Amino acid sequence: MEFALPALTVLDLAFIALALVAIQLARRSALLHALLVLPGTLLHELAHWIIATLLGGQPTSLSVVPGRTEHGWRLGSVGIARVRWFNALPIGLAPLLLAPIAVLALIHASRADAASWVHWALLYVASSAAVSCLPSLQDLKVVASRPLGALLYLAVAAAAIHAWMRP
């Protein structure tokens, strides 16, 4: 089984580039930036919520309403009551699951009629998911708060890679 990137036109690629540039430039205006990244923020926070729920983290709140902090703006947040050694890493890195969503949105956009708004909406969702798939500094702090779990996941991953690479 072979994976091939979806066939996108030059106009599609230009739209994606324009969306990414617009998101970056909008950082100067907190409200505009929050609006442009809202789909990605929602996906980012839902990823934390879902993984926390599945792993017993007991999410307590979900917000995608921007708020000012002492370091700038917080676009969204999820309150989690039970961060433990075994769930901190998956909860903190949950937004990485948005990368496949970005690819799926691209695939479906390439199959949709370019004259349809669905095509352009999917391209925007792909752009937004790609921007939002990186864990935030706060997400990495959650991972670092339980170093034993992170080390255990690293050890398991190293053992799996070693077993897979053996002849």
Side-chain angles (χ1 to χ4, degrees), residues 44 48 92-93 95-96 98-99 128-137 139-140:
H44 181 105
H48 289 303
L93 300 184
L96 292 173
L98 299 181
S128 189
V131 168
S132 300
C133 76
L134 295 176
S136 67
L137 182 58
D139 298 340
L140 296 175

Side-chain angles (χ1 to χ4, degrees), residues 4-97:
L5 289 174
L8 299 171
T9 68
V10 172
L11 190 56
D12 294 339
L13 296 174
F15 179 84
I16 292 168
L18 182 63
L20 294 174
V21 167
I23 288 169
Q24 185 62 29
L25 290 176
R27 289 184 178 273
R28 295 179 184 168
S29 166
L31 180 60
L32 180 59
H33 184 253
L35 288 173
L36 285 176
V37 298
L38 184 61
T41 300
L42 181 60
L43 290 171
H44 181 105
E45 301 307 338
L46 280 174
H48 289 303
W49 179 276
I50 290 167
I51 297 302
T53 299
L54 292 174
L55 297 179
Q58 298 178 350
T60 58
S61 63
L62 171 73
S63 173
V64 292
V65 176
R68 200 159 202 25
T69 69
E70 64 271 5
H71 301 292
W73 285 86
R74 176 186 36 80
L75 297 175
S77 65
V78 174
I80 300 170
R82 295 180 50 102
V83 177
R84 301 292 186 254
W85 67 269
F86 64 89
N87 66 12
L89 185 132
I91 291 170
L93 300 184
L96 292 173
L97 296 172

